[in-house]
Amino acid sequence: MDVDEVVSAAWVVPVETSEVLQDHSVVISGSKIVDILPTAQVEAKYRPKKHTKLPNAALTPGFINTHTHTPMVYLRGVSDDIPLREWLEGTIWPLEFKLVSHDFVKDGAKLAILEMIMGGITTFNDMYWYPEAVCEAVVSSGVRAAVGMIAIEFPFGSYGTGPDDYLAKGQATMEKFKAEERLSWCVALHAPYTCSDATITKGGDLSKKLNVPLHIHLHESSDEVEASAAGNKDNPSCHMSSEKCRPMANLERLGVLNERLIAVHMNWLTDEEVAQCATSGASIVHCPCSGMKLASGFCRVHDLLEAGVNVALGTDGASSNNSLDMMAEMKLAALLAKGVAKNAQAAPAATALRMATLNGAKALGLGEVTGSLKVGKFADMVAIEFNVPGAWPAPVVTGNNGMPGFDPVTHIVYSSTRDQVSDVWVHGQRLMSSRQVLTMDSVEIREAADKWSAKIQDILTELAASKRQKTEN
Ligand SMILES: [Zn+2]
């Protein structure tokens, strides 16, 4: 049978089940996986246009970054080591207000996508202004993305006047790009402290009408939860609702705590709220790096998983991380879950890998099309090279069951880094080959980054001068 490509690897880790396949091949025809079989059987069955052999690598599903703000790569390193509120209000929001435009978003998204492809991320879930600019970057790069139709209560720069305008613009973008198979959609509400009850209700209605997820930051800081419960409007983290209750209870009251909800962070949960997450069918995105850097709190990952909640992983924006590195996130999530639960068996390596792949796909409503290596799914996959000193002793394919005690999955999660990602496929198309990204121009992306960096330096200088003036007055 004629097929487009066969990829033969030392190990194939499908994630769909817990099995790990030694010396197997994935067969691609068009955009889809059409077979997974022992490499020894390939020749008798298939005539591939291309046969890629990776004798020292593991093939896994591509990573799914289930929460990010791609253009914030340009704010990487401009404000570090300060608390969430001060970080947002003191630097990030004033900078964004002056900077954000269609070009800023498109250039930033391109840089983020380049970084993500090189780290094995094949799908990301984005929340940012000018979603059409993100779509343009997605289409030209070949990656897969769920793009957010963002809403926040207030006018923002040149983008829009308020939630109705933002949601209308988001829907127009969705309509414009509806033919693109690699794009899917979310309604992206920023947070309870920036969205009114009316906006949350509108967002929920729209997500139901379009049958797309509702993506929101929730229970990120103890301030947000406690101020909302007390109705303390003097605290800027208090939710916008007039109800004195925890933000998650308010979402339940508004009818949006359901299987379409993607709740990001969820660092502060009671036992009852953990149980409610499970019964509602909502997905949670854990962003361990961002949560730790902003000292926002620790998500009860082990308890959520035990309760049956779909927990995915995200990097958040590069300004609170400071990289878009899902392999780092995966290791950190596994380790942090053990520390928080005081249980070394919490979030084992295979679970962490599932959180970084299939659980993200499920959260985005893409569980039937990506997130695992399965016949009929899109060929979204990555090769992780084990022939590097940090991964030695490398697993030896022995023809039986490999090295006694050797587990390629723990090797991927605990020993490997994103620099070991050698090859990346999305939708059956090779986006990176032997660490060369084939669909993007890194020189042009670097030049754009330098240009925006100069602009950011100018604005930071202006902001510092006006702060000084305010202090003197
Ligand atoms: Zn975020």
Side-chain angles (χ1 to χ4, degrees):
M1 184 181 171
D2 291 323
V3 290
D4 290 311
E5 186 170 4
V6 168
V7 185
S8 301
W11 307 94
V12 174
V13 185
V15 175
E16 188 66 30
T17 63
S18 58
E19 68 180 345
V20 174
L21 308 168
Q22 192 181 350
D23 215 3
H24 268 59
S25 297
V26 176
V27 182
I28 303 170
S29 189
S31 57
K32 302 265 178 79
I33 295 170
V34 294
D35 202 355
I36 299 173
L37 74 171
T39 298
Q41 296 173 15
V42 166
E43 218 169 285
K45 211 168 163 190
Y46 294 106
R47 284 184 307 276
K49 285 183 196 146
K50 183 173 185 178
H51 191 168
T52 302
K53 294 175 183 171
L54 305 164
N56 298 298
L59 210 53
T60 74
F63 298 109
I64 299 188
N65 184 357
T66 316
H67 176 70
T68 191
H69 314 275
T70 46
M72 292 182 89
V73 283
Y74 284 156
L75 306 183
R76 185 180 356 236
V78 303
S79 178
D80 295 308
D81 305 325
I82 52 174
L84 173 65
R85 223 47 240 190
E86 201 180 322
W87 172 77
L88 275 177
E89 290 177 5
T91 312
I92 299 300
W93 285 347
L95 260 178
E96 286 182 318
F97 200 77
K98 285 181 181 275
L99 275 170
V100 172
S101 65
H102 183 281
D103 287 352
F104 174 87
V105 172
K106 188 172 176 179
D107 289 349
K110 279 187 179 176
L111 172 57
I113 291 167
L114 179 65
E115 179 185 357
M116 288 195 282
I117 290 173
M118 293 191 78
I121 294 167
T122 54
T123 301
F124 65 93
N125 180 27
D126 206 47
M127 178 191 282
Y128 211 71
W129 313 106
Y130 294 94
E132 69 275 20
V134 175
C135 291
E136 288 167 17
V138 168
V139 169
S140 64
S141 68
V143 77
R144 191 181 305 286
V147 175
M149 294 177 256
I150 193 169
I152 194 167
E153 209 57 33
F154 318 102
F156 187 87
S158 58
Y159 181 63
T161 54
D164 291 338
D165 189 27
Y166 301 141
L167 290 175
K169 283 183 165 135
Q171 286 177 85
T173 301
M174 183 181 175
E175 185 59 29
K176 185 176 169 189
F177 288 90
K178 67 181 175 190
E180 296 293 340
E181 277 193 295
R182 298 178 206 206
L183 284 170
S184 64
W185 308 91
C186 285
V187 174
L189 304 179
H190 178 258
Y193 54 86
T194 50
C195 289
S196 68
D197 284 356
T199 298
I200 292 170
T201 303
K202 276 179 204 162
D205 290 347
L206 185 60
S207 100
K208 188 175 179 187
K209 184 178 134 196
L210 301 173
N211 195 25
V212 299
L214 182 70
H215 176 198
I216 187 167
H217 296 103
L218 191 65
H219 285 211
E220 181 171 6
S221 67
S222 58
D223 243 17
E224 173 196 334
V225 175
E226 285 164 17
S228 304
N232 178 9
K233 297 290 176 193
D234 292 337
N235 187 324
S237 297
C238 179
H239 67 185
M240 293 193 75
S241 176
S242 54
E243 294 287 314
K244 285 186 186 178
C245 63
R246 292 163 71 92
M248 183 174 147
N250 195 44
L251 294 200
E252 190 196 18
R253 187 182 69 82
L254 296 172
V256 301
L257 183 65
N258 55 42
E259 69 289 347
R260 283 185 300 278
L261 187 71
I262 299 178
V264 180
H265 297 306
M266 298 293 258
N267 293 323
W268 300 90
L269 293 174
T270 62
D271 290 345
E272 292 71 29
E273 286 166 341
V274 169
Q276 249 182 328
C277 286
T279 49
S280 68
S283 289
I284 288 179
V285 185
H286 175 39
C287 304
C289 213
S290 172
M292 289 175 78
K293 184 160 184 268
L294 295 167
S296 307
F298 301 119
C299 181
R300 293 170 59 182
V301 169
H302 178 60
D303 295 337
L304 288 162
L305 291 169
E306 289 284 295
V309 178
N310 183 50
V311 183
L313 296 180
T315 59
D316 215 340
S319 53
S320 64
N321 189 304
N322 293 0
S323 53
L324 307 178
D325 180 351
M326 281 293 288
M327 291 190 73
E329 221 67 46
M330 181 167 64
K331 179 172 178 176
L332 191 56
L335 301 186
L336 190 58
K338 297 172 205 310
V340 169
K342 300 184 179 66
N343 176 356
Q345 292 175 314
T351 302
L353 181 59
R354 178 175 282 257
M355 288 161 71
T357 54
L358 188 55
N359 289 6
K362 285 180 180 168
L364 297 173
L366 301 175
E368 296 305 313
V369 298
T370 188
S372 63
L373 304 182
K374 186 183 175 190
V375 172
K377 282 194 172 186
F378 290 125
D380 292 357
M381 56 189 193
V382 302
I384 298 167
E385 177 61 51
F386 283 158
N387 193 18
V388 296
W392 291 343
V396 178
V397 178
T398 61
N400 48 45
N401 285 322
M403 284 162 58
F406 172 77
D407 179 353
V409 175
T410 61
H411 227 59
I412 291 166
V413 176
Y414 297 132
S415 308
S416 301
T417 68
R418 64 175 171 176
D419 295 341
Q420 286 165 246
V421 174
S422 61
D423 298 80
V424 175
W425 294 256
V426 173
H427 215 72
Q429 179 189 3
R430 183 89 64 113
L431 301 190
M432 184 165 81
S433 178
S434 303
R435 295 221 39 86
Q436 294 303 307
V437 176
L438 306 174
T439 53
M440 306 192 83
D441 182 344
S442 59
V443 174
E444 183 192 283
I445 290 169
R446 170 68 200 265
E447 284 169 2
D450 289 345
K451 183 191 87 181
W452 286 108
S453 171
K455 211 165 195 168
I456 288 164
Q457 294 306 320
D458 290 346
I459 298 171
L460 285 172
T461 309
E462 272 172 40
L463 285 174
S466 83
K467 257 186 216 165
R468 258 199 317 275
Q469 211 165 19
K470 270 185 204 154
T471 322
E472 282 164 17
N473 293 342

